Structures are given as C-alpha cells and as structure tokens.
Amino acid sequence: MSDSTRVLGAPVVRREGRDKVTGTARYAAEHTSADCLYGWIVPATVPTGRVTAIRTADALAVPGVHTVLTHDNAPRLKEPDDPILAVLQDDRVPHRGWPVALVLAESLEAARAGASAVHAEYTTTGHDVVLTGDHPGLYIPEEANGGHPGLRERGDAMRAFEAAPVRIDATYTLHGLHNHPMEPHASTARWSDGHLTVHDSSQGSTAVRNSLATALGLDRNRITVVSEHVGGGFGSKGTPRPQSVLAAMAARHTGRPVQLALPRRYMAAIVGHRAPTLQRVRLGADRDGVLSSVSHEIVTQTSRIKEFVEQAAVPARVMYASPHSRTEHRVAALDVPSPSWMRAPGEASGMYALESAMDELACALGIDPVELRLRNEPQAEPDSGRPFSSRNLAACLTQGAARFGWNDRDPRPAAREEGPWLLGTGVASATYPVLVSRSAASAQAAPDGSYRVRVNTTDIGTGARTVLAQIAASVLGTDPENVQVDVGSSDLPTASVAGGSSGTASWGSAVHKAATALVRRLAEHTGPLPPDGLTVTADTGDETAQESPYARHAFGAHFAEVAVDSLTGEVRVRRLLGMYAAGRILNSRTARSQFIGGMVMGLGMALTEGSTMDPAFGDFTESDLASYHVPSCADVPDIQAHWIDEDDPHLNPMGSKGIGEIGIVGTAAALGNAVRHATGARLRTLPLTPDKLLPYLP
C-alpha cells in the first residue's frame, strides 16, 4: 500500500497514453460497422435568406448515395434546448454555412460527391456581418456569458478618470478566433430496439444526451451517449453541436447506423468561435501609479439565432484595486454563426486589453510593470467586496520575475539588438475563476482488493482518468494503479461538462465523497466482501448549492522575451515563463502539460491566429489550417511553467483550482508588451503579423 499523502501531486503517467499513441483508443468516427452510412453536409452558400428549392436528383444518381435529407423530408424535431440544433426543420438560412441538406451514402467519398451534386436555390435578403464600434444595433445585454451582469458600476469612473493626473485611453481589437481541435466534431449514431446510442466527440456526453432527448422527444433513459476518447475541444465541444442531431435524425430515417464527421473547413460556421471584440480601456492613476478609475467597455457580436456575449469586461472587476469602476458589454446581433466558448472565454480576450493598458500606464509613469501591478493589489475582490479565498498574484509576479531574470532588463524600448533582431521582454497578469458544478460518482471495493470508480467525466486530453484515480487512491489508501476509472458514457453517474476549468474540482469532489463513504462502509463491514463487492454512490448537490462567502480565483503571471526582425517584421518568441497560483496541484506532470498548452495557444492568439469576416460573402475567410495559422511547439524554443504551493482551505476536498485555461489568459498581453519593448511601437490589434509591424520598424 502506498503512502496516500504522496499520491496527490505525484507525476503519474496518463493511463490512456499508450492507447492513444498505439491507435487502440477509439474516437467518435471510429465506431463504424459494415452497414454504416456516411453523411456529408450541404452548407448554405448565401449569407442569409430562404431556400426556395433543393434539387437532389443528380445527387441521388451518384453511385452509392442512399438518401438526401432536406427540410422537406427530414424527421421533425421538438423544440431543441439550443436553437443551433434546429437543423433541416425549415427553409431559413440564418448565416452562410448553415446546413441545408445532408447526403447519406455507402462511403464517405460517395457522400462527398453527392453533396457537390445537390443544387440549392435561394432568395436572399440584405446581410449585416461587420462589427463596428458605432453599430446602430448595439445594446447592453442583461447578462453576459456565465450569468455576469452586462453592466457594473462602482462610484463615478468617468469623473474620477477626468480628474486623474495620469490617464490611459486606448482601444484594442481582437478578430474572431476558432478552436480547431485536432479531432473535428463527429458523431456515429445507431438505433436498436428503440434505443439510440451515439458516439460523439463532446466535452460532456450527459449534456449531449439531454439535448438529444429534448430535440427527439425521447426519455433520457432511451439514449446513451459515449465520449470515451476526445481529441480536444477547447470549448467548441462544450455544448452539443448539429452533427449529433443530424446523425441521430439520419439513423432514425434510414434505419441504419450513420457517421457524420465535419470537414475542417465547415467548422468555422457550425461549431462556434470566439467572437471579435473592440475593447476600450480607460485607466486613471496618480503619479505613483495607484489607480483611481478603471473603465473597460466591450463591443462584441452575437448571431441572430441566439444571444451569446463574450464576458470580456468581467476580469476588470477582479484584478486591481480602484474606488471607481465601470465595466460594460455592448453587443450587436449580426448575420453570423453563433459565437460560443473558446478556451478561457472572457478572460483571454479581456485580460489582453486590460494587461496591455496596464503596460501602457507603466510606460507613461516610468514605473516597472511588475511594480505597478503590485501597487494596485486589492485587499478584497473589488466588484463584490468578498474576501479572496487566496490571492497569490503578488507571489507569482515576484517569483516569476526572479526565475525569468526580469529585474536585469533595460526598461528602455528598442534598446537591445542582435544584428537585425530587436529584443524585448514583457509581463502580464492572469486570472481565472474557480468554478464547480454538481456531479455524482460511485466507488466500488472488489473482493480481490481492487477498486473501481465510475463517473461520467469526459477526458478531453487532460488526463482526467489519471487524476481521478489519484484522488480516489489518496482516500482509499492504495496505489492509483489499483483503481480502475470508468468515464465517458451517459449511462455512468451524471457529471458536469469538461469546461470552465471546473472538471477536476467537480468530478474530483464527487469521487472524493464516494471514496470517503466507501472507506466508512468497509470499516463497518465484517467478513469477506460479497462477490459483487461493496459500492457506494455520492452526489455533490448539497455542496455545490451553497454559495461561497469567498471570491475564489486562480492567478498567474506571464513573462515573455521576443525577437523582432527589423527587416521583415517577423516576431520570434525566445522564451515564455508562466508562474501560477492554482491551489493544490494534483498531478505535476499533467498540470505542466496543461499550463504549457494554454501558453502555446496564447502565443497563437498574439502572433498567428485571427479570422476575418468577408463583408460581401458573409463568411470567415480563414476556414482551414492552411489559412488559420495554429502555432506549434517549435514556435517557442524555451517554455516553462512553474507554480507556488498554495494552500486554500475554501475550495474542495482536494484544495485544487482549475488549470486548463489560465495558461492562455495573460500570454497574448505579455507577448504584445514584449513586442512594444523590443520595437517601441504599441500595436493594439492582434495578431501581431509582420505586415502590421513593418511600418513601425527602422
């Protein structure tokens, strides 16, 4: 038996790793059978309007094509719980790329050929797809994503800003961003004796089951959704997507299993995106850098299908002490695909603007950017007044600076050169809320001395199976290898979605509770265990229903060094270092991987990733990985993630905070600040591509 006190935090190797690298792990599009039909979507080719006719004869004449579903013959749905799932139900075209037909064939090649032979005719109306800061349709929503109020005010931010001796007033622009997980969205559906089984690439199979039950008008116990292995999601698989509904409809209509995997170029229109934002930040401070006024105003877009508002002003309600504050979201409904979650929604966008403005304030004052942040540390959460359960941002900044060698930097811009390269360093803070949702889990003790944990988590590549085994083992006093973990099926005890950096806290709390109850049950039991062992089930409904009296957040500091080619404008990242305060780290190996993955994604946000809307055609021009440039590990030769040992007793039984998203939050701002230090040019629109930098270089 292991020392259970050392189980949590140990760098245990991910237990599904070998299955993935050897190809034995099966994903949603790999659960096929000999009688499976393959689907291919026909997307709308107009920005908005109505379908007046769909001619399918040529498609049906393609060898191997079985059926073409349109709004005329597709099975009728009940009203879905998400409007984006109401596909093939009427003739409307809310945006370009909306599915108007589904071709089903004996092979993927035949389905694709059949889809190209479908002829759709439309009537079109004028479309509006361009977000502007003065759009006439802008309004303040009651709530932004996550239930945050659209507008919050403390004091009189504008009057305090006008009275401040030092002021920053800057606008920062982010284009749309796309999640682009390695595994595209896919579903394989089959019906058997009235029971629907769907293998779906999803961040939460319970949520997919519930949505399918609503849309199809079925009892939930007649549907099983399996998401055993998922090749990434980054938020785009956090809610059910149309391919799962289409596959289920098609399988019901044809009586055969149906597989539908989205081509990557269709994903931009179907599976969500990070909405573009125009962000105006106004900071007022005294000459010592102490803030008196913080104003963060967001302009963003949603679709006409449903409202989704990126909560980018929310981080400014958390970060810095100021007696006066105004944080506002304004949104316009456009003829665009529905935005959705993308890694660290709100924080990633908002902290880029806020931390860039803080750097501008530091430059204006001649104060070190680390020192400026330390001078504005709040004693309690500024927006709510609640005490922080823990807030170790200051430690992240000071310890990160020491590790990075920050204090040796020359603060003068454009002062370091290596041949044609201009060198610079930058820093930014990061925050992400501690979220937790109700979950259930069961724990079983077998007669042979082994244990089994069952919980419907989805492991999206984070190592959830491994960490949950460690949590259970720490309670049961055994080795993690002695704990089997079953995940990824809606038939298991219900668990929350893998999103919002809440998974481990939510599922782990349920596993911890179930394992603790099992220990008590075993202590009370006499004699040998029955052949089926002993099993207990626990639910965290009571715990999650209680509102914490504390403001609970993870914090971090990002440091970056860049080299800018003065001849070409190319930006090369030489070093990235992240320092985090994220509660108790439960697995040092998987945690480091999560932090680094987020930082690489933040690098893409800063330097390579951006998607623009074509105003004439009404679609995103960067629709594949040839035009939407995702960074690789080779784009940053030296990347480090460190953390402090944070003891926070106000979180959960493990003392953990989420780590999946905070890595991206401050990275883009740190890189942008480093580019400014290297060149002396302050650019406020991401990504920082060579064409934008060249006009400012000597």
Side-chain angles (χ1 to χ4, degrees):
M1 185 174 292
S2 68
D3 179 359
S4 62
T5 62
R6 300 180 60 187
V7 171
L8 290 183
V12 178
V13 175
R14 278 169 47 178
R15 50 180 54 196
E16 85 285 7
R18 180 175 292 275
D19 291 340
K20 289 184 174 179
V21 299
T22 57
T24 58
R26 298 178 68 194
Y27 293 81
E30 296 178 316
H31 293 271
T32 55
S33 57
D35 60 341
C36 187
L37 292 172
Y38 297 84
W40 197 278
I41 287 173
V42 178
T45 57
V46 297
T48 183
R50 296 268 176 190
V51 177
T52 57
I54 296 186
R55 310 189 190 285
T56 62
D58 290 346
L60 291 170
V62 173
V65 169
H66 182 282
T67 303
V68 179
L69 292 181
T70 71
H71 69 274
D72 291 322
N73 65 341
R76 297 296 93 186
L77 299 174
K78 306 296 183 181
E79 184 175 354
D81 55 10
D82 186 336
I84 70 167
L85 303 180
V87 285
L88 302 187
Q89 298 301 293
D90 54 42
D91 62 358
R92 66 184 179 133
V93 176
H95 59 78
R96 186 181 288 270
W98 178 261
V100 297
L102 177 67
V103 176
L104 303 164
E106 303 293 341
S107 69
L108 187 63
E109 293 78 9
R112 181 172 56 191
S116 66
V118 172
H119 304 289
E121 298 177 6
Y122 307 91
T123 59
T124 60
T125 56
H127 61 277
D128 183 4
V129 297
V130 179
L131 178 68
T132 59
D134 59 353
H135 193 283
L138 287 171
Y139 65 94
I140 299 176
E142 182 176 342
E143 290 185 347
N145 179 44
H148 299 283
L151 171 66
R152 292 285 285 178
E153 293 185 279
R154 285 186 292 106
D156 191 335
M158 293 303 99
R159 178 174 294 182
F161 175 77
E162 293 298 333
V166 182
R167 291 173 290 182
I168 297 298
D169 185 347
T171 298
Y172 305 89
T173 301
L174 287 174
H175 294 299
L177 296 171
H178 298 292
N179 310 63
H180 278 306
M182 184 178 294
E183 178 199 16
H185 296 62
S187 298
T188 303
R190 73 178 65 240
W191 293 80
S192 178
D193 298 326
H195 189 94
L196 172 64
T197 300
V198 179
H199 291 269
D200 190 56
S201 183
S202 164
Q203 292 173 228
S205 58
T206 297
V208 176
R209 180 202 63 187
N210 295 348
S211 286
L212 287 175
T214 299
L216 298 172
L218 295 176
D219 291 335
R220 293 177 179 179
N221 60 11
R222 292 179 57 193
I223 302 175
T224 298
V225 177
V226 180
S227 302
E228 187 177 1
H229 294 285
V230 178
F234 311 114
S236 68
K237 299 176 184 176
T239 56
R241 299 299 175 182
Q243 90 282 341
S244 61
V245 174
L246 288 168
M249 291 166 56
R252 170 183 269 184
H253 182 82
T254 62
R256 291 173 60 177
V258 169
Q259 179 194 113
L260 176 57
L262 297 183
R264 189 164 296 277
R265 69 178 184 274
Y266 290 3
M267 289 168 57
I270 296 178
V271 303
H273 61 280
R274 194 193 302 282
T277 51
L278 308 173
Q279 305 184 50
R280 184 179 183 183
V281 180
R282 283 176 278 189
L283 303 178
D286 64 22
R287 299 197 183 280
D288 291 326
V290 177
L291 291 167
S292 59
S293 177
V294 173
S295 173
H296 196 168
E297 299 165 277
I298 309 299
V299 170
T300 188
Q301 69 186 36
T302 187
S303 74
R304 299 195 193 277
I305 302 172
K306 66 175 185 178
E307 183 182 84
F308 181 95
V309 182
E310 181 89 355
Q311 72 277 26
V314 169
R317 302 172 184 175
V318 173
M319 284 305 296
Y320 300 116
S322 169
H324 303 278
S325 171
R326 177 182 173 87
T327 48
E328 176 188 85
H329 302 84
R330 289 185 295 154
V331 62
L334 305 179
D335 301 309
V336 297
S338 297
S340 186
W341 304 336
M342 183 171 173
R343 198 174 199 166
E347 277 71 20
S349 301
M351 286 294 283
Y352 160 66
L354 180 62
E355 291 301 290
S356 298
M358 286 293 285
D359 196 70
E360 295 203 41
L361 180 61
C363 293
L365 290 164
I367 296 176
D368 180 82
V370 170
E371 176 61 25
L372 177 67
R373 289 166 171 81
L374 295 176
R375 291 183 187 182
N376 288 283
E377 272 289 280
Q379 296 301 308
E381 185 181 60
D383 192 52
S384 69
R386 292 182 298 171
F388 289 102
S389 64
S390 59
R391 181 181 169 107
N392 285 297
L393 175 58
C396 291
L397 286 164
T398 55
Q399 293 185 33
R403 287 180 178 270
F404 187 77
W406 175 266
N407 297 328
D408 297 329
R409 98 198 260 263
D410 184 339
R412 296 174 301 161
R416 293 174 59 204
E417 297 182 12
E418 283 185 5
W421 296 98
L422 306 174
L423 308 183
T425 52
V427 64
S429 297
T431 186
Y432 199 78
V434 172
L435 304 175
V436 63
S437 298
R438 180 177 182 174
S439 294
S442 68
Q444 178 190 46
D448 63 359
S450 65
Y451 300 91
R452 186 186 196 114
V453 168
R454 304 175 79 242
V455 55
N456 187 24
T457 171
T458 302
D459 193 334
I460 55 175
T462 58
R465 292 173 175 83
T466 307
V467 175
L468 293 178
Q470 290 177 262
I471 293 170
S474 71
V475 176
L476 297 168
T478 189
D479 291 320
E481 292 80 4
N482 199 35
V483 180
Q484 180 176 334
V485 179
D486 295 339
V487 302
S489 170
S490 62
D491 291 342
L492 296 169
T494 298
S496 60
V497 69
S501 294
S502 66
T504 299
S506 302
W507 317 321
S509 295
V511 168
H512 192 284
K513 187 175 182 179
T516 300
L518 180 60
V519 169
R520 290 197 298 267
R521 180 88 175 271
L522 290 170
E524 298 167 355
H525 184 80
T526 58
L529 295 181
D532 293 336
L534 292 178
T535 302
V536 296
T537 300
D539 184 286
T540 61
D542 291 340
E543 293 86 347
T544 55
Q546 301 173 12
E547 184 176 356
S548 174
Y550 296 94
R552 301 184 294 185
H553 303 268
F555 292 95
H558 292 105
F559 296 83
E561 181 180 21
V562 302
V564 181
D565 191 319
S566 60
L567 301 178
T568 67
E570 177 187 10
V571 179
R572 282 290 179 182
V573 179
R574 292 197 168 185
R575 292 189 293 151
L576 277 179
L577 184 145
M579 192 80 195
Y580 303 100
R584 186 179 189 181
I585 299 301
L586 303 182
N587 183 313
S588 57
R589 183 190 300 266
T590 58
R592 180 170 283 106
S593 176
Q594 285 296 293
F595 288 137
I596 288 175
M599 292 162 71
V600 172
M601 202 165 178
L603 184 157
M605 177 180 172
L607 301 181
T608 66
E609 296 182 46
S611 193
T612 51
M613 178 63 66
D614 187 307
F617 287 90
D619 60 356
F620 291 108
T621 57
E622 295 82 3
S623 60
D624 56 32
L625 293 181
S627 53
Y628 187 92
H629 298 149
V630 177
S632 68
C633 293
D635 287 312
V636 52
D638 183 355
I639 182 167
Q640 299 180 33
H642 305 279
W643 51 85
I644 66 173
D645 294 323
E646 186 174 58
D647 182 15
D648 188 334
H650 307 296
L651 301 171
N652 52 60
M654 301 81 65
S656 64
K657 298 179 180 179
I659 60 174
E661 293 172 277
I662 195 171
I664 189 178
V665 171
T667 302
L671 287 165
N673 295 338
V675 169
R676 187 268 168 192
H677 183 231
T679 65
R682 175 73 65 180
L683 277 68
R684 300 187 180 98
T685 299
L686 296 184
L688 301 177
T689 47
D691 58 305
K692 295 173 185 171
L693 275 166
L694 272 174
Y696 300 94
L697 298 178

